[in-house]
Coordinates of all heavy atoms in Angstrom, one line a residue:
N1 N 0.8 -1.2 0.0 CA 0.0 0.0 0.0 C 0.8 1.3 0.0 O 0.4 2.3 -0.5 CB -1.0 0.0 1.2 CG -2.0 -1.1 1.1 OD1 -2.6 -1.2 0.0 ND2 -2.3 -1.8 2.1
L2 N 2.1 1.2 0.6 CA 3.0 2.3 0.5 C 3.5 2.6 -0.9 O 3.5 3.7 -1.4 CB 4.2 2.1 1.4 CG 3.9 2.3 2.9 CD1 5.2 1.8 3.7 CD2 3.6 3.7 3.3
V3 N 3.9 1.5 -1.6 CA 4.5 1.6 -2.9 C 3.5 1.7 -4.0 O 3.9 2.3 -5.0 CB 5.5 0.3 -3.1 CG1 6.0 0.3 -4.4 CG2 6.6 0.3 -2.0
K4 N 2.4 1.1 -3.8 CA 1.3 1.2 -4.9 C 1.8 0.8 -6.3 O 1.7 1.6 -7.2 CB 0.7 2.6 -4.9 CG 0.0 3.0 -3.6 CD -0.5 4.4 -3.6 CE 0.6 5.4 -3.4 NZ 0.2 6.8 -3.1
P5 N 2.3 -0.4 -6.4 CA 2.9 -0.8 -7.7 C 1.8 -1.1 -8.7 O 0.7 -1.6 -8.4 CB 3.7 -2.0 -7.3 CG 3.0 -2.6 -6.2 CD 2.4 -1.5 -5.4
K6 N 2.2 -1.0 -10.0 CA 1.3 -1.4 -11.1 C 1.4 -2.9 -11.2 O 0.4 -3.6 -11.4 CB 1.8 -0.8 -12.4 CG 0.9 -1.1 -13.6 CD 1.3 -0.3 -14.8 CE 0.3 -0.6 -16.0 NZ 0.7 0.1 -17.2
Y7 N 2.6 -3.5 -11.0 CA 2.8 -5.0 -11.1 C 3.4 -5.4 -9.7 O 4.1 -4.7 -9.1 CB 3.7 -5.4 -12.2 CG 3.1 -5.1 -13.6 CD1 3.3 -3.9 -14.3 CD2 2.3 -6.1 -14.2 CE1 2.7 -3.7 -15.5 CE2 1.7 -5.9 -15.4 CZ 1.9 -4.7 -16.1 OH 1.4 -4.5 -17.3
F8 N 3.2 -6.7 -9.4 CA 3.7 -7.2 -8.2 C 4.4 -8.6 -8.5 O 3.8 -9.4 -9.1 CB 2.6 -7.4 -7.1 CG 3.1 -8.0 -5.8 CD1 3.8 -7.2 -4.9 CD2 2.9 -9.4 -5.6 CE1 4.2 -7.8 -3.7 CE2 3.4 -9.9 -4.4 CZ 4.1 -9.1 -3.5
I9 N 5.6 -8.7 -7.9 CA 6.4 -10.0 -8.1 C 6.8 -10.5 -6.7 O 7.7 -9.8 -6.1 CB 7.6 -9.8 -9.0 CG1 7.1 -9.2 -10.4 CG2 8.3 -11.1 -9.2 CD1 8.2 -8.8 -11.3
P10 N 6.3 -11.6 -6.2 CA 6.8 -12.1 -4.9 C 8.2 -12.7 -5.1 O 8.4 -13.5 -6.1 CB 5.8 -13.1 -4.5 CG 5.1 -13.6 -5.8 CD 5.2 -12.4 -6.7
I11 N 9.1 -12.5 -4.2 CA 10.5 -13.1 -4.3 C 10.9 -13.6 -2.9 O 10.2 -13.4 -1.9 CB 11.5 -12.0 -4.8 CG1 11.6 -10.8 -3.8 CG2 11.2 -11.6 -6.2 CD1 12.7 -9.8 -4.1
H12 N 12.0 -14.3 -2.8 CA 12.6 -14.8 -1.6 C 11.6 -15.7 -0.8 O 10.9 -15.3 0.0 CB 13.0 -13.7 -0.7 CG 14.1 -12.8 -1.3 ND1 14.5 -11.6 -0.7 CD2 14.7 -12.8 -2.5 CE1 15.4 -11.0 -1.4 NE2 15.5 -11.8 -2.5
G13 N 11.7 -17.0 -1.1 CA 10.8 -17.9 -0.4 C 10.6 -19.2 -1.2 O 10.8 -19.3 -2.4
E14 N 10.1 -20.2 -0.5 CA 9.7 -21.4 -1.1 C 8.4 -21.1 -1.9 O 7.7 -20.1 -1.8 CB 9.4 -22.5 -0.1 CG 10.7 -22.9 0.7 CD 10.5 -24.0 1.7 OE1 9.3 -24.5 1.8 OE2 11.4 -24.2 2.5
Y15 N 8.0 -22.1 -2.8 CA 7.0 -21.8 -3.7 C 5.7 -21.4 -3.0 O 4.9 -20.6 -3.5 CB 6.8 -23.0 -4.7 CG 5.8 -22.7 -5.8 CD1 6.3 -21.9 -6.9 CD2 4.5 -23.2 -5.8 CE1 5.4 -21.6 -7.9 CE2 3.7 -22.9 -6.9 CZ 4.1 -22.1 -7.9 OH 3.3 -21.7 -8.9
R16 N 5.3 -22.1 -1.9 CA 4.1 -21.8 -1.2 C 4.1 -20.4 -0.7 O 3.1 -19.7 -0.7 CB 3.9 -22.8 -0.1 CG 4.8 -22.7 1.1 CD 4.4 -23.7 2.1 NE 5.2 -23.5 3.4 CZ 6.4 -23.9 3.6 NH1 7.1 -24.6 2.7 NH2 7.0 -23.7 4.8
H17 N 5.3 -19.9 -0.3 CA 5.4 -18.5 0.2 C 5.1 -17.5 -0.9 O 4.4 -16.5 -0.7 CB 6.8 -18.2 0.8 CG 7.2 -19.1 1.9 ND1 8.4 -19.7 2.0 CD2 6.4 -19.6 2.9 CE1 8.5 -20.4 3.1 NE2 7.3 -20.4 3.7
L18 N 5.6 -17.8 -2.1 CA 5.4 -16.9 -3.3 C 3.9 -16.9 -3.6 O 3.3 -15.8 -3.9 CB 6.2 -17.4 -4.5 CG 7.7 -17.6 -4.2 CD1 8.4 -18.0 -5.5 CD2 8.4 -16.3 -3.8
V19 N 3.2 -18.1 -3.6 CA 1.8 -18.1 -4.0 C 1.0 -17.4 -3.0 O 0.1 -16.6 -3.3 CB 1.4 -19.6 -4.1 CG1 -0.1 -19.7 -4.3 CG2 2.1 -20.3 -5.3
I20 N 1.2 -17.6 -1.7 CA 0.5 -16.9 -0.6 C 0.7 -15.4 -0.7 O -0.3 -14.6 -0.5 CB 0.9 -17.5 0.7 CG1 0.4 -18.9 0.9 CG2 0.3 -16.6 1.9 CD1 1.0 -19.7 2.1
H21 N 1.9 -15.0 -1.0 CA 2.2 -13.5 -1.1 C 1.5 -13.0 -2.3 O 0.9 -11.8 -2.3 CB 3.7 -13.3 -1.2 CG 4.1 -11.9 -0.8 ND1 5.4 -11.5 -0.8 CD2 3.4 -10.8 -0.4 CE1 5.5 -10.3 -0.5 NE2 4.3 -9.8 -0.2
A22 N 1.4 -13.7 -3.4 CA 0.7 -13.3 -4.6 C -0.8 -13.1 -4.3 O -1.4 -12.1 -4.7 CB 0.9 -14.3 -5.7
R23 N -1.4 -14.0 -3.6 CA -2.8 -13.9 -3.3 C -3.0 -12.7 -2.4 O -4.1 -12.0 -2.5 CB -3.2 -15.2 -2.6 CG -3.3 -16.4 -3.5 CD -3.6 -17.7 -2.7 NE -3.6 -18.9 -3.6 CZ -3.6 -20.1 -3.2 NH1 -3.6 -20.3 -1.8 NH2 -3.6 -21.1 -4.0
L24 N -2.1 -12.5 -1.5 CA -2.2 -11.3 -0.6 C -2.2 -10.0 -1.4 O -3.0 -9.1 -1.1 CB -1.0 -11.3 0.4 CG -1.1 -10.3 1.6 CD1 -2.2 -10.6 2.5 CD2 0.3 -10.3 2.3
A25 N -1.3 -9.9 -2.4 CA -1.3 -8.7 -3.2 C -2.6 -8.5 -4.0 O -3.1 -7.4 -4.1 CB -0.1 -8.9 -4.2
E26 N -3.2 -9.6 -4.4 CA -4.5 -9.5 -5.1 C -5.6 -8.9 -4.2 O -6.4 -8.1 -4.6 CB -4.9 -10.9 -5.6 CG -4.1 -11.4 -6.8 CD -4.5 -12.8 -7.2 OE1 -5.7 -13.2 -7.0 OE2 -3.7 -13.6 -7.7
K27 N -5.5 -9.4 -2.9 CA -6.5 -8.9 -1.9 C -6.3 -7.4 -1.6 O -7.2 -6.7 -1.2 CB -6.4 -9.7 -0.7 CG -6.9 -11.1 -0.8 CD -6.9 -11.9 0.5 CE -7.4 -13.3 0.3 NZ -7.3 -14.1 1.6
Q28 N -5.1 -6.9 -1.9 CA -4.8 -5.5 -1.7 C -5.1 -4.6 -3.0 O -4.8 -3.4 -3.0 CB -3.3 -5.3 -1.4 CG -2.8 -6.0 -0.1 CD -3.8 -5.7 1.1 OE1 -3.9 -4.5 1.5 NE2 -4.4 -6.7 1.6
G29 N -5.8 -5.2 -3.9 CA -6.3 -4.5 -5.1 C -5.5 -4.6 -6.3 O -5.8 -3.9 -7.3
I30 N -4.4 -5.4 -6.3 CA -3.6 -5.5 -7.6 C -4.3 -6.6 -8.4 O -4.5 -7.7 -8.0 CB -2.2 -5.9 -7.3 CG1 -1.5 -4.8 -6.4 CG2 -1.4 -6.1 -8.6 CD1 -0.1 -5.1 -6.0
P31 N -4.7 -6.3 -9.7 CA -5.4 -7.2 -10.5 C -4.5 -8.5 -10.7 O -3.3 -8.4 -10.8 CB -5.6 -6.5 -11.8 CG -5.5 -5.0 -11.5 CD -4.5 -5.0 -10.3
R32 N -5.2 -9.6 -10.8 CA -4.5 -10.9 -10.9 C -3.6 -10.9 -12.1 O -2.5 -11.5 -12.0 CB -5.6 -12.0 -11.1 CG -4.9 -13.4 -11.2 CD -6.0 -14.5 -11.1 NE -6.5 -14.6 -9.8 CZ -7.4 -15.5 -9.4 NH1 -7.8 -16.5 -10.3 NH2 -7.9 -15.5 -8.2
H33 N -3.9 -10.4 -13.2 CA -3.1 -10.4 -14.4 C -1.8 -9.6 -14.2 O -0.9 -9.6 -15.1 CB -3.8 -10.0 -15.7 CG -4.2 -8.6 -15.7 ND1 -5.3 -8.1 -15.1 CD2 -3.6 -7.5 -16.3 CE1 -5.4 -6.8 -15.3 NE2 -4.4 -6.4 -16.1
R34 N -1.8 -8.7 -13.2 CA -0.6 -7.9 -12.9 C 0.2 -8.5 -11.7 O 1.2 -7.9 -11.3 CB -1.0 -6.5 -12.6 CG -1.5 -5.8 -13.8 CD -1.9 -4.3 -13.5 NE -2.4 -3.6 -14.6 CZ -2.9 -2.4 -14.6 NH1 -2.9 -1.7 -13.4 NH2 -3.4 -1.8 -15.7
V35 N -0.1 -9.6 -11.3 CA 0.7 -10.3 -10.2 C 1.4 -11.5 -10.9 O 0.8 -12.4 -11.4 CB -0.2 -10.9 -9.1 CG1 0.6 -11.7 -8.1 CG2 -1.0 -9.8 -8.4
L36 N 2.7 -11.3 -11.0 CA 3.6 -12.3 -11.7 C 4.3 -13.2 -10.8 O 5.3 -12.8 -10.1 CB 4.6 -11.5 -12.6 CG 4.0 -10.4 -13.5 CD1 5.1 -9.7 -14.3 CD2 3.0 -11.1 -14.5
A37 N 3.8 -14.4 -10.6 CA 4.4 -15.4 -9.8 C 5.4 -16.1 -10.5 O 5.2 -17.2 -11.2 CB 3.3 -16.3 -9.2
A38 N 6.6 -15.6 -10.5 CA 7.7 -16.2 -11.3 C 8.5 -17.2 -10.6 O 8.4 -17.3 -9.3 CB 8.7 -15.1 -11.8
E39 N 9.3 -18.0 -11.3 CA 10.2 -19.0 -10.7 C 11.6 -18.8 -11.3 O 11.8 -18.0 -12.2 CB 9.7 -20.4 -11.0 CG 8.4 -20.8 -10.4 CD 8.0 -22.2 -10.6 OE1 8.6 -23.1 -10.0 OE2 7.1 -22.5 -11.4
N40 N 12.5 -19.5 -10.7 CA 13.9 -19.3 -11.2 C 14.0 -19.6 -12.7 O 13.5 -20.6 -13.2 CB 14.8 -20.3 -10.5 CG 15.0 -20.0 -9.0 OD1 14.9 -18.8 -8.6 ND2 15.4 -20.9 -8.2
G41 N 14.7 -18.7 -13.4 CA 14.9 -18.9 -14.8 C 13.9 -18.2 -15.7 O 14.1 -18.0 -16.9
N42 N 12.7 -17.8 -15.1 CA 11.7 -17.1 -15.9 C 12.2 -15.8 -16.3 O 12.9 -15.1 -15.5 CB 10.4 -16.9 -15.1 CG 9.6 -18.2 -14.9 OD1 8.7 -18.2 -14.1 ND2 9.9 -19.2 -15.7
V43 N 12.0 -15.3 -17.5 CA 12.3 -14.0 -18.0 C 11.1 -13.1 -17.9 O 10.1 -13.3 -18.6 CB 12.8 -14.1 -19.5 CG1 13.3 -12.7 -20.0 CG2 14.0 -15.1 -19.6
I44 N 11.2 -12.2 -17.0 CA 10.1 -11.2 -16.8 C 10.4 -10.0 -17.6 O 11.4 -9.3 -17.4 CB 9.9 -10.9 -15.3 CG1 9.9 -12.1 -14.5 CG2 8.7 -10.0 -15.1 CD1 10.0 -11.9 -13.0
C45 N 9.6 -9.7 -18.6 CA 9.8 -8.6 -19.6 C 8.9 -7.4 -19.3 O 7.7 -7.6 -19.1 CB 9.6 -9.1 -21.0 SG 10.7 -10.5 -21.4
F46 N 9.5 -6.2 -19.3 CA 8.7 -5.0 -19.2 C 9.0 -4.1 -20.4 O 10.1 -3.9 -20.8 CB 9.1 -4.2 -18.0 CG 8.7 -4.9 -16.7 CD1 9.6 -5.8 -16.1 CD2 7.6 -4.6 -16.0 CE1 9.3 -6.4 -14.9 CE2 7.2 -5.2 -14.8 CZ 8.1 -6.2 -14.2

């Protein structure tokens, strides 16, 4: 809520931590298609 990002990417954690954090971001109003749950090796392009 401080940063108010357009996109959200959870980092640092096991896969379940990333998923739970991603869901938390959605509940804070970030649209699902703007929450990028990436894994090692994924190329995130902007």
Side-chain angles (χ1 to χ4, degrees):
N1 291 318
L2 285 171
V3 173
K4 296 177 285 194
K6 185 176 181 180
Y7 293 92
F8 179 79
I9 304 171
I11 60 172
H12 299 173
E14 296 180 8
Y15 190 72
R16 71 179 189 276
H17 301 140
L18 305 180
V19 171
I20 291 169
H21 201 180
R23 292 172 181 169
L24 187 68
E26 290 177 27
K27 291 180 180 178
Q28 299 310 299
I30 300 179
R32 177 170 295 184
H33 68 279
R34 291 183 181 174
V35 177
L36 305 176
E39 296 185 71
N40 290 338
N42 286 166
V43 181
I44 309 167
C45 301
F46 294 86

